[in-house]
Amino acid sequence: MTVQACQHCATAPERRHQVETGLIMWICPACNNRGDASTVEARAIASWHLVNDQDMPAHNCKGEGVARFFSRGGMWGARCPACDYVDEGYATIEGARAGWARALR
């Protein structure tokens, strides 16, 4: 499976593996955009693609910001880099994606 470049800065992501826990994560070394950490390689790659989905709607602010997903305190959220609009409090990346899309309707 080909791992796509970061949609925020076009940098190729790095695969990081924490041997002690077995967690794998794909992360952009330039801007720190990242997917979810998982013990399953396929899930780690899939989550990278979820946070870099070109089909996610842009925020309807004047900057039309592309969602930037983050995890804080075990919960996921999305932020517009153009205006700092934040939608957070989701248990999964999938929930944060759905919340972002719902908020922009």
Side-chain angles (χ1 to χ4, degrees):
M1 173 183 259
T2 303
V3 181
Q4 68 190 39
C6 176
Q7 73 174 349
H8 297 285
C9 68
T11 302
E14 292 179 352
R15 179 188 183 273
R16 297 204 181 150
H17 180 219
Q18 189 176 56
V19 177
E20 305 81 46
T21 62
L23 291 174
I24 301 163
M25 176 193 316
W26 286 85
I27 186 167
C28 176
C31 73
N32 292 324
N33 182 30
R34 70 176 187 89
D36 200 6
S38 176
T39 56
V40 179
E41 180 77 28
R43 171 61 185 162
I45 291 171
S47 69
W48 170 258
H49 288 288
L50 287 174
V51 299
N52 285 284
D53 184 354
Q54 299 292 330
D55 292 331
M56 284 298 296
H59 191 228
N60 52 5
C61 66
K62 65 181 179 180
E64 294 185 353
V66 176
R68 192 154 169 112
F69 293 91
F70 62 90
S71 177
R72 179 174 41 227
M75 301 299 278
W76 282 90
R79 172 178 288 110
C80 173
C83 71
D84 283 334
Y85 167 78
V86 175
D87 183 38
E88 61 185 323
Y90 300 95
T92 63
I93 289 175
E94 291 85 355
R97 285 171 43 92
W100 177 262
R102 185 176 47 251
L104 301 186
R105 280 192 235 161

